Amino acid sequence: MIHPALLHLPTPNWAALAWSMPYGWYEPPPPPDPSELPPPGRYYLDHARSSVRAQVRGLRRWQAGTAGVTGTLRFGRGSAAVELAVETVGLRSGGPERDRALHGLLDPPSHPLLRFTATELAAAHGAWLVPGQVTLRGRAVPVALWIGPVDRLPDGTITVGLRGTLERRASGFARRVALELTLVAAPEPVSFAPPCVAASRPAPRSRTAA
């Protein structure tokens, strides 16, 4: 039988207690490994091999994909910058009726491009992500895209996967939209400027009055 005094005790905050126990039954996930990021540098997307897919879950489940994404990626030590642009008229869902509904939502004549920009790198739950915003029908919608996986090819080309979800209230859609991007990018070529010829020549002697 439970003592009546115990019924009036407040319920402990088990989550706060777990975080306060350094060696308890729960430990926060370790920070992500920097080796899971692409090598530092600037990359240009291969628009022929990069793709964007959007999936809406609800009564009808459909996907919209495209090829022809343009943009740049830049990664450094603890920093990242992503700039992407997708032509909304090129988005296809595999059916004429759904394409008309999709283009009615995106309004390609008035908003031909769907853009994503991010200027920082963050770590959460043991993984890397780039928080940024999607410009959708002229409205800036905040979204965070998780990075992974990252594949490196011998020629320096990288394949980066990005995943995120657009909240329905912020985007104006009736349901959540899951985004999945597969970006194939090549590193920026390194150019070595030739030495300045004028700097290598000796300076002319100044004429002095006799």
Side-chain angles (χ1 to χ4, degrees):
M1 182 176 180
I2 301 178
H3 194 276
L6 299 179
L7 299 177
H8 300 283
L9 293 177
T11 303
N13 189 344
W14 297 110
L17 291 176
W19 280 96
S20 63
M21 296 179 184
Y23 304 101
W25 53 273
Y26 176 80
E27 293 183 1
D33 189 356
S35 63
E36 298 176 358
L37 295 173
R42 186 181 180 91
Y43 300 86
Y44 291 93
L45 293 188
D46 186 345
H47 64 276
R49 293 189 289 173
S50 300
S51 64
V52 174
R53 293 184 180 273
Q55 183 174 0
V56 179
R57 296 179 181 271
L59 298 178
R60 293 183 179 181
R61 183 175 180 179
W62 53 274
Q63 293 184 355
T66 181
V69 189
T70 59
T72 58
L73 306 174
R74 182 173 53 83
F75 291 93
R77 295 183 178 179
S79 63
V82 181
E83 295 183 4
L84 304 176
V86 182
E87 293 184 358
T88 53
V89 71
L91 289 171
R92 294 290 183 268
S93 60
E97 296 182 0
R98 291 181 293 183
D99 285 345
R100 284 193 293 268
L102 177 64
H103 292 168
L105 292 174
L106 298 177
D107 192 9
S110 302
H111 307 284
L113 292 179
L114 188 152
R115 299 180 181 274
F116 172 78
T117 57
T119 57
E120 59 180 331
L121 178 68
H125 303 286
W128 296 106
L129 71 156
V130 282
Q133 63 180 14
V134 173
T135 304
L136 184 65
R137 294 180 299 185
R139 177 191 301 181
V141 180
V143 63
L145 298 181
W146 299 89
I147 301 177
V150 177
D151 296 329
R152 304 172 180 85
L153 301 180
D155 60 351
T157 304
I158 61 173
T159 302
V160 183
L162 298 176
R163 294 176 178 84
T165 303
L166 290 177
E167 296 293 338
R168 59 184 182 89
R169 293 183 179 179
S171 62
F173 291 146
R175 296 178 178 87
R176 293 184 178 182
V177 180
L179 300 177
E180 182 178 353
L181 294 77
T182 302
L183 307 179
V184 180
E188 181 180 17
V190 179
S191 61
F192 297 94
C196 182
V197 178
S200 61
R201 293 177 179 176
R205 296 180 179 179
S206 60
R207 298 181 179 179
T208 58

